[in-house]
């Protein structure tokens, strides 16, 4: 057996970068987003990046006996809209919003957030813009961006494409969590206005855009002062800071975040057996963007109610005696507040109804979901 070193074949040695993964680009991104993460620091977390994991101290955040609540979500095909129209700066707000709004409906304060950014080839300028939006969302929600993962995976994504996922953990003092068990017949349903389509229904929106040939970079038909794509990319509203004081004061019996499934399918998720939500679509004016989508697609009112938020991003169930105070304080916090219905005895579910003319209906209508 020879101990002679093998001769060089003359071929170029393999490297990770030659395979399509740039360690240098990843390191540059981490360095660039460090200040963004630090800007989200809060009691309990220093929001420093770079370790194998991140610590959070619930006691430093003011909790005595907390229950932890976790949520994860994505942005769906709204990401593709951001990619196609160079609107990367605020899509991260949507990512945070979809997670933190799911926590507040359980009575939990969002504490810390981690993101997952995956792409075929890392473009640090674009990734930094996305993470800047995530950091902004964290600041709005009051949670710390304490870590994440940037995955560069050649061959997995088309050039320029990326995907996002978010993970958030919150806390609520034991016994103060919202489970829906306090909801009773006679409770009033209060809606908080949405900021647009939020982050659900974009597969239908993009299909309409392609089939109808929408000019995304031109003023919207319903708003001459703003281009259509900016209406469609408007970030999901984050309701945490306005709702948290009401939750902690015990004034809210239940909260429903209106996401995929629309009004019809999300409200029943927070109701106990034997109670039914009756929502009156006549109670608020259909947003112009929703009317545009409905008209462009010839969408029936029932389909609108199970696909889009229809202008309502969050539904609250509140006892009759607390309605005035809750409405007053939420309006003072900057929310547009609408009284949209009530809780009645019946099978657990939701019914949305409207008069002729409401949501372009030719005659009175109703749509129901039970379960």
């Amino acid at each position: 057996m020879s101990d002679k070193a093998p001769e060089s074949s003359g071929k170029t040695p393999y490297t990770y970068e030659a395979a399509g993964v740039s360690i240098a680009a990843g390191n540059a991104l981490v360095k660039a987003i460090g200040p963004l993460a630090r800007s989200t620091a809060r009691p309990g977390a220093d929001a420093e990046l770079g370790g194998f994991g991140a610590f959070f101290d619930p006691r430093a955040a003011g909790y005595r006996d907390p229950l932890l609540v976790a949520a994860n979500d994505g942005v769906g095909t709204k990401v593709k809209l951001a990619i196609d129209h160079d609107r990367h700066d605020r899509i991260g707000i949507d990512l945070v919003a979809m997670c933190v709004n799911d926590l507040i409906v359980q009575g939990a304060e969002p504490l810390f957030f981690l993101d997952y950014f995956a792409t075929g080839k890392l473009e640090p300028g674009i990734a930094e813009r996305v993470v800047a939006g995530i950091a902004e969302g964290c600041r709005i929600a009051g949670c710390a961006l304490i870590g994440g993962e940037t995955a560069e995976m050649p061959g997995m994504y088309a050039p320029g494409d990326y995907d996002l996922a978010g993970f958030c953990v919150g806390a609520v003092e034991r016994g103060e969590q919202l489970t829906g068990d306090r909801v009773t017949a006679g409770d009033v349903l209060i809606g908080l206005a949405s900021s647009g389509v939020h982050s659900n229904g974009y597969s239908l929106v993009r299909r309409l855009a392609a089939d109808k040939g929408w000019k995304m970079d031109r003023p919207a038909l319903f708003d001459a002062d703003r281009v259509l794509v900016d209406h469609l990319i408007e970030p999901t509203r984050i309701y945490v800071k306005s709702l948290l004081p009401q939750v902690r004061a015990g004034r809210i019996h239940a909260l429903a975040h209106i996401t995929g499934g629309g009004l019809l399918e999300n409200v029943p998720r927070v109701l106990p057996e034997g109670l039914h939500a009756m929502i009156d679509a006549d109670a608020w004016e259909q947003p112009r963007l929703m009317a545009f989508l409905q008209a462009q697609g010839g969408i029936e009112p029932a389909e609108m109610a199970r696909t889009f938020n229809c202008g309502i991003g969050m539904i609250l169930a509140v006892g009759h005696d607390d309605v005035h105070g809750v409405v007053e304080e939420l309006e003072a916090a900057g929310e547009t507040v609408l009284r949209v219905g009530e809780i009645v005895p019946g099978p657990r579910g939701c019914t949305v109804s409207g008069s002729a003319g409401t949501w372009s209906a030719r005659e009175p209508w109703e749509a129901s979901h039970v379960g």
Side-chain angles (χ1 to χ4, degrees):
M1 183 174 185
S2 173
D3 59 359
K4 183 180 179 182
E7 295 182 7
S8 170
S9 66
K11 294 181 180 179
T12 302
Y14 281 82
T15 66
Y16 210 11
E17 186 156 8
V21 178
S22 174
I23 295 174
N27 290 339
L29 177 62
V30 172
K31 185 175 181 180
I33 65 179
L36 296 172
R38 286 192 290 274
S39 74
T40 70
R42 55 152 295 153
D46 58 16
E48 285 287 344
L49 302 182
F52 287 96
F55 290 97
F56 190 93
D57 182 356
R59 288 194 176 184
Y63 287 90
R64 301 179 307 277
D65 184 20
L67 295 175
L68 297 182
V69 187
N72 75 296
D73 213 330
V75 184
T77 56
K78 190 174 186 176
V79 167
K80 188 62 175 171
L81 193 69
I83 292 167
D84 290 346
H85 299 279
D86 191 29
R87 295 299 198 278
H88 308 287
D89 301 84
R90 302 179 77 193
I91 196 71
I93 298 176
D94 285 286
L95 184 66
V96 175
M98 295 303 289
C99 294
V100 299
N101 285 342
D102 278 354
L103 293 183
I104 191 65
V105 301
Q106 296 172 94
E109 175 193 13
L111 299 178
F112 58 86
F113 189 89
L114 301 98
D115 69 283
Y116 175 79
F117 178 99
T119 187
K121 178 177 174 54
L122 185 61
E123 301 287 348
I126 290 175
E128 186 176 349
R129 290 165 66 188
V130 173
V131 176
I134 294 171
E136 183 180 354
C138 287
R139 289 192 296 271
I140 294 169
C143 62
L145 177 60
I146 63 172
E149 165 70 356
T150 301
E152 191 173 24
M153 300 186 287
M156 286 288 289
Y157 296 88
D161 278 358
Y162 60 82
D163 198 12
L164 296 172
F167 309 84
C168 196
V169 172
V172 57
E173 290 290 0
R174 190 179 305 273
E176 296 180 6
Q177 63 269 28
L178 293 180
T179 62
D181 60 350
R182 294 174 57 205
V183 180
T184 61
D187 279 0
V188 174
L189 295 177
I190 295 172
L192 303 185
S194 64
S195 55
V197 183
H198 283 186
S199 296
N200 293 98
Y202 277 88
S203 294
L204 177 54
V205 169
R206 292 176 55 251
R207 177 65 179 270
L208 282 172
D211 289 353
K212 302 296 181 180
W214 293 350
K215 305 298 183 184
M216 291 287 204
D217 58 349
R218 294 184 184 176
L221 293 176
F222 53 88
D223 182 2
D225 297 326
R226 195 178 187 203
V227 298
L228 178 57
V229 69
D230 285 343
H231 276 281
L232 294 173
I233 207 72
E234 183 69 27
T236 304
R237 186 166 180 81
I238 293 174
Y239 299 99
V240 171
K241 287 189 176 178
S242 59
L243 285 173
L244 196 57
Q246 303 303 318
V247 170
R248 287 178 167 170
R251 292 177 171 176
I252 295 177
H253 293 173
L255 286 168
H257 182 202
I258 309 305
T259 55
L263 293 164
L264 277 180
E265 296 189 11
N266 282 289
V267 177
R269 294 169 64 181
V270 299
L271 299 181
E273 291 290 345
L275 293 178
H276 195 89
M278 300 294 295
I279 296 176
D280 180 10
D282 297 349
W284 73 96
E285 185 176 353
Q286 186 183 38
R288 293 176 298 169
L289 173 57
M290 295 294 167
F292 169 77
L293 294 173
Q294 184 179 11
Q296 289 283 299
I299 304 171
E300 294 295 327
E303 185 67 16
M304 290 293 293
R306 68 169 53 92
T307 303
F308 297 111
N309 64 58
C310 301
I312 305 294
M314 190 74 74
I315 293 278
L316 296 63
V318 178
H320 196 276
D321 293 342
D322 287 326
V323 170
H324 178 75
V326 169
V327 170
E328 194 173 64
E329 291 187 26
L330 286 173
E331 287 179 340
E335 301 292 352
T336 299
V337 187
L338 306 152
R339 184 166 172 165
V340 299
E342 64 177 338
I343 299 294
V344 300
R348 184 173 69 183
C350 179
T351 297
V352 181
S353 61
S355 304
T358 298
W359 297 5
S360 302
R362 299 184 184 88
E363 56 189 26
W365 58 275
E366 73 171 35
S368 292
H369 174 81
V370 175

